[in-house]
Amino acid sequence: MADCLLEFQDVHREFATPAGPSRPVLLGVDFAVERGASLAMVGRSGSGKSTLLHLAAGIDLPSRGEVRLAGRSLASLDDPVRSRLRRDHVGLVFQFFHLLPHLTVRDNVSLPGWIAGDPHAEVRARAEDLLAAVELGDRGDDLAGRLSGGQMQRVAICRALQRRPGLVLADEPTGNLDETVGARVMDLLVGLCADEGVGLLYVTHSREQASRADRVLRLRDGRLAAAEAPA
Ligand SMILES: Nc1ncnc2c1ncn2[C@@H]1O[C@H](COP(=O)(O)OP(=O)(O)O)[C@@H](O)[C@H]1O
Ligand SMILES: [Mg+2]
């Protein structure tokens, strides 16, 4: 498909266990994320949601089947090329934010641009624009470690979007926030990705938050199926 940032074709993933047979986690997963589309993924703990996101980001590789990111088959690339592809096309948002607490908010948002060698002034301007969009325009000088959880996740969303990725992957981005704050963070994440035409794949346990996506998929028994709402 021409406008797919991410495609899974018959993806299997099993893990070796210390003793006995390997543990199958994904047993043939097919789906795609189109540019600008949002997709929520639900499923019980241990069903393989994080495994699927790791495969999508090229942090892990399938045992069988194909994962294509920006049109490239990830298994066919060597590590440095795969890392560069991720850096150029994917923004990641984690449950526990993973900000650098001793850096300022502005520097946290700028960091991906600096690492990639993007022009300094553009990186700074982009950071300011994004922080303003999540209503943290006046907090750029604060140390990230001083913020509340909801504020930290808003900064992490800005960081994920700094390099204008085609795809954002978010693993339980509101799992560490209370309901009201989580709802606000999810509004910003879904809204910003839609505004910028970014594909979004996020994992959530919340029925309410899953319903904000264009599409909801449930992972169960190693396979993905359409779902109206999370269990
Ligand atoms: N690197 C790994 N090695 C062995 N087993 C793993 C590894 N990563 C995940 N698993 C197993 O895969 C299953 C799915 O894990 P995970 O993807 O984290 O589930 P979820 O995010 O849905 O809670 C679990 O049984 C977990 O123990
Ligand atoms: Mg998980």
Side-chain angles (χ1 to χ4, degrees):
M1 272 177 273
D3 237 19
C4 284
L5 250 303
L6 177 69
E7 290 175 83
F8 274 51
Q9 280 171 3
D10 194 30
V11 169
H12 294 243
R13 183 66 173 106
E14 54 186 43
F15 292 106
T17 50
S22 61
R23 178 186 300 122
V25 175
L26 302 180
L27 291 165
V29 167
D30 294 273
F31 75 104
V33 182
E34 296 86 24
R35 253 173 227 286
S38 58
L39 206 156
M41 186 167 50
V42 300
R44 294 163 74 162
S45 178
S47 60
K49 304 180 299 297
S50 294
T51 298
L52 189 153
L53 287 190
H54 294 156
L55 292 168
I59 294 164
D60 186 23
L61 292 172
S63 312
R64 184 147 73 81
E66 189 167 72
V67 177
R68 297 176 73 82
L69 178 63
R72 311 279 299 275
S73 175
L74 291 177
S76 69
L77 307 173
D78 59 23
D79 274 345
V81 178
R82 198 159 48 235
S83 296
R84 201 169 330 122
L85 198 70
R86 181 187 319 126
R87 203 180 68 183
D88 289 344
H89 294 283
V90 180
L92 296 168
V93 178
F94 306 95
Q95 181 174 354
F96 295 103
F97 326 128
H98 295 321
L99 298 179
L100 295 177
H102 303 299
L103 291 188
T104 65
V105 163
R106 184 181 295 110
D107 286 354
N108 269 277
V109 178
S110 301
L111 209 54
W114 288 338
I115 290 169
D118 296 341
H120 192 86
E122 279 174 30
V123 171
R124 278 300 199 214
R126 175 75 171 151
E128 296 303 335
D129 286 350
L130 286 165
L131 286 169
V134 301
E135 291 164 15
L136 290 174
D138 57 345
R139 304 300 295 271
D141 292 325
D142 289 19
L143 293 182
R146 296 271 169 81
L147 301 181
S148 70
Q151 290 169 334
M152 285 189 197
Q153 197 62 303
R154 279 146 65 192
V155 173
I157 289 168
C158 294
R159 178 184 58 189
L161 290 170
Q162 159 68 231
R163 301 200 67 239
R164 304 179 191 279
L167 178 71
V168 166
L169 302 172
D171 199 350
E172 304 196 37
T174 63
N176 202 37
L177 303 174
D178 72 39
E179 206 175 306
T180 315
V181 171
R184 174 86 186 108
V185 165
M186 192 54 82
D187 276 342
L188 286 165
L189 178 62
V190 174
L192 269 174
C193 286
D195 288 349
E196 300 214 340
V198 175
L200 171 65
L201 171 57
Y202 64 95
V203 171
T204 180
H205 282 115
S206 156
R207 178 187 297 264
E208 168 67 25
Q209 288 177 15
S211 71
R212 286 160 207 243
D214 299 329
R215 229 169 9 129
V216 185
L217 297 177
R218 176 177 288 118
L219 190 54
R220 184 162 47 200
D221 300 330
R223 290 194 170 84
L224 215 44
E228 292 308 314

